[in-house]
Amino acid sequence: MRGGLLVAGTTSDAGKSVVTAGICRWLVRQGVKVAPFKAQNMSLNSFVTREGAEIGRAQAMQAQACRVEPAALMNPVLLKPGGEQSSQVVLLGKPVGEMSARGYHGGRQQRLLGTVLDCLEQLRSTYDAVICEGAGSPAEINLRRTDIVNMGIARNAGLPVLVVGDIDRGGVFASFFGTVALLSPEDQECVAGYLVNKFRGDVTLLEPGLEMLEGLTGRRTYGVLPFRHGLGIDEEDGLRVSLRGTVRESAVAPPVGEDVLRVAVCAVPLMSNFTDVDALAAEPGVVVRFVDRPEELADADLVVVPGTRGTVRALEWLRERGLAGALARRAAEQRPVLGICGGFQILGEHIEDDVESRRGKVDGLGLLPVRVRFAREKTLTRPAGEALGEHVEGYEIHHGVADVQGGTPFLDGCRVGQTWGTHWHGSLESDGFRRAFLREVAAASGRRFVPAPDTSFAALREEQLDRLGDLIEQHADTDALWRLIESGPPKGLPFVPPGAPA
């Protein structure tokens, strides 16, 4: 096999990331050497490759589905929102500056088309197949001229396009039809057909609609994937997390000890890499929820202050909400608090920020003897070390440089009593360290909680990826998908009026 495919969607969150990962895992199980690719990603959840490049966590997850090492080529452009109007632009794994949406779409984006096509070509010359993921919808008619991630790259690279629709939201037939009908004749020639995602019920009741859709558009449906819980791994955007009563998907298993542990995650603005708590939620007997009110910390055994792309803004938000006072009371009472990356910086004495917020010197919460200065160059590393007698691995993504002036060393940060802080993302994925940390939390909280002795986060992630591969293998027309990836879009696809506006 030598080919490729672009997985587009009728909307954001239609399921493009998980479908792409599922196709990748299905292909690699067939002996195909495959790689993921997303030309441009907008996400606050990112990852650091071994060569020190920053890419979207979704592409790192897809690389794992392919059983290959993540690389900057797989996500050449990453946009990290810093507010409603601007984002940090990360090009080939390194930040190149802040830019407004108008400035980016006004010319910079289109100039990157050659770069992303070069990256895609390098991957295609190395792998048997490259499965690409689009962004948002390919029918964003206001942005088509500068598009480098949907039809822009499909046309230039000759890729067939599979459009995914989330039927659980309703309106999937109108979304499929409208997506195609708003594309130019040249773009429509790339759209091979559809994939229905998150279907509940009797598929035979859906089939007449799929036949009518094919009659209207001349394009078939390549599969109907049933709804499955627990497959939303490594979501792209923390801004979409529901703040009220959200619980991370976790293993359905009773606690090993007599008690559960309750973990509250402060849902700070511009929350980044909230996937750090996935490893906690994977532990039997650990309940994780996102909170935004001080009273929600009262029954928590552990409070996590997560990473953020707006450290000073998040600090102000904690104070406005009354959460800052609740955190200070917890620290004084020796009740566990963990700050990760931006959350670690917030727990310190003060922050000097002339880079991210440009607010200068700002007082932190003063819970850890740490002073933070924001550097213009971003730290992007994959550290390893030891904590609580266990081996730990993680990754760092931050502008803040911490000057630790006391406390007990903890990874690259410190702890004072039961208040812990580190810049390391992903440390809780190290099984032995996670269990040791949870034992400390349980002892401090007076809970008779016992970590499961055999929980492997890496194995659970592999199981999830295999479930995605199973969905494709069992519920998609894999023979037709194979032909599509190998041979490109079917010839003679009809034009669906009215097409894109002039």
Side-chain angles (χ1 to χ4, degrees):
M1 171 183 280
R2 181 71 64 177
L5 173 72
L6 176 72
V7 179
T10 56
T11 61
S12 296
D13 283 346
K16 297 183 293 293
S17 294
V18 293
V19 167
T20 299
I23 293 174
C24 287
R25 179 50 61 102
W26 161 65
L27 284 172
V28 80
R29 294 195 307 206
Q30 309 308 308
V32 177
K33 187 180 179 184
V34 59
F37 180 77
K38 185 162 185 172
Q40 173 194 293
N41 195 348
M42 177 173 280
S43 179
L44 289 171
N45 285 335
S46 57
F47 182 77
V48 180
T49 68
R50 293 207 180 277
E51 66 267 27
E54 185 180 9
I55 64 172
R57 269 201 70 101
Q59 279 60 66
M61 175 268 292
Q62 291 161 356
Q64 187 175 348
C66 297
R67 297 179 179 145
V68 299
E69 191 66 32
L73 290 175
M74 298 171 183
N75 179 207
V77 181
L78 173 64
L79 305 178
K80 302 193 74 174
E84 297 297 326
Q85 299 294 328
S86 67
S87 294
Q88 183 181 67
V89 181
V90 179
L91 179 62
L92 292 173
K94 303 297 180 183
V96 294
E98 298 279 335
M99 187 167 289
S100 69
R102 180 177 293 276
Y104 183 69
H105 290 288
R108 177 64 183 269
Q109 182 184 35
Q110 194 171 28
R111 292 196 296 272
L112 293 173
L113 179 60
T115 299
V116 300
L117 288 171
D118 286 345
C119 292
L120 176 57
E121 184 54 36
Q122 288 184 60
L123 289 174
R124 296 184 80 176
S125 67
T126 305
Y127 293 89
D128 299 331
V130 178
I131 306 302
C132 307
E133 180 188 343
S137 162
E140 307 287 357
I141 54 178
N142 55 317
L143 302 177
R144 175 61 184 92
R145 181 179 61 84
T146 58
D147 171 51
I148 65 169
V149 65
N150 290 306
M151 302 313 299
I153 199 165
R155 283 263 300 277
N156 278 278
L159 295 171
V161 177
L162 190 67
V163 181
V164 177
D166 180 355
I167 197 170
D168 200 46
R169 294 182 173 190
V172 75
F173 292 115
S175 298
F176 281 145
F177 181 87
T179 296
V180 177
L182 280 175
L183 301 179
S184 69
E186 295 80 7
D187 285 352
Q188 287 192 24
E189 289 176 2
C190 296
V191 179
Y194 318 104
L195 189 72
V196 176
N197 192 30
K198 297 185 182 179
F199 179 73
R200 306 172 191 251
D202 185 350
V203 73
T204 61
L205 299 177
L206 185 67
E207 288 169 352
L210 300 178
E211 292 170 3
M212 287 184 273
L213 181 66
E214 183 172 3
L216 288 166
T217 67
R219 290 158 175 84
R220 56 164 298 181
T221 297
Y222 284 76
V224 178
L225 307 185
F227 186 95
R228 292 286 187 268
H229 286 285
L231 295 181
I233 52 178
D234 288 5
E235 293 100 326
E236 291 199 339
D237 199 344
L239 297 176
R240 297 192 193 117
V241 174
S242 170
L243 303 186
R244 186 60 53 206
T246 300
V247 178
R248 303 291 293 158
E249 295 283 1
S250 59
V252 181
V256 175
E258 296 180 43
D259 290 340
V260 300
L261 277 186
R262 296 172 176 85
V263 178
V265 184
C266 296
V268 297
L270 297 174
M271 182 167 46
S272 62
N273 285 63
F274 63 91
T275 48
D276 281 332
V277 300
D278 283 355
L280 294 178
E283 283 284 348
V286 176
V287 179
V288 179
R289 66 184 188 273
F290 290 87
V291 303
D292 61 355
R293 297 182 300 186
E295 56 267 31
E296 293 176 299
L297 304 189
D299 66 343
D301 301 303
L302 169 66
V303 174
V304 177
V305 186
T308 171
R309 249 283 282 157
T311 304
V312 171
R313 179 178 169 187
L315 179 58
E316 292 173 341
W317 180 87
L318 289 169
R319 287 184 167 127
E320 291 165 0
R321 292 271 178 163
L323 287 160
L327 289 169
R329 289 190 293 275
R330 285 187 67 89
E333 295 166 0
Q334 296 295 304
R335 301 177 66 198
V337 175
L338 172 64
I340 302 174
C341 198
F344 167 42
Q345 297 166 10
I346 285 169
L347 298 181
E349 295 173 357
H350 69 247
I351 298 166
E352 292 183 35
D353 181 11
D354 295 318
V355 176
E356 193 175 75
S357 68
R358 298 180 177 87
R359 294 282 297 279
K361 189 172 179 178
V362 178
D363 288 336
L365 298 186
L367 306 184
L368 291 174
V370 176
R371 298 172 183 177
V372 176
R373 177 185 54 82
F374 272 60
R376 296 201 175 275
E377 184 174 345
K378 182 183 283 191
T379 297
L380 297 167
T381 63
R382 292 271 293 272
E386 186 175 296
L388 302 179
E390 299 287 348
H391 179 73
V392 191
E393 296 182 8
Y395 57 99
E396 295 186 48
I397 307 169
H398 54 91
H399 284 280
V401 178
D403 178 13
V404 179
Q405 300 192 328
T408 303
F410 173 63
L411 303 177
D412 71 331
C414 66
R415 67 176 286 195
V416 173
Q418 289 299 321
T419 302
W420 314 64
T422 177
H423 273 133
W424 291 22
H425 294 291
S427 63
L428 294 166
E429 295 179 18
S430 298
D431 297 326
F433 166 71
R434 181 181 65 253
R435 287 192 278 269
F437 178 69
L438 290 175
R439 281 193 289 269
E440 289 261 352
V441 170
S445 303
R447 297 289 186 189
R448 291 170 294 183
F449 168 85
V450 178
D454 55 354
T455 300
S456 167
F457 185 75
L460 289 172
R461 173 56 52 87
E462 279 296 303
E463 289 175 13
Q464 285 183 306
L465 293 172
D466 275 331
R467 290 174 66 199
L468 293 178
D470 292 343
L471 276 180
I472 298 299
E473 191 168 330
Q474 296 168 11
H475 301 282
D477 186 339
T478 52
D479 289 340
L481 273 180
W482 188 283
R483 290 192 298 272
L484 197 61
I485 294 166
E486 200 169 35
S487 304
K491 303 300 181 185
L493 293 170
F495 171 68
V496 180

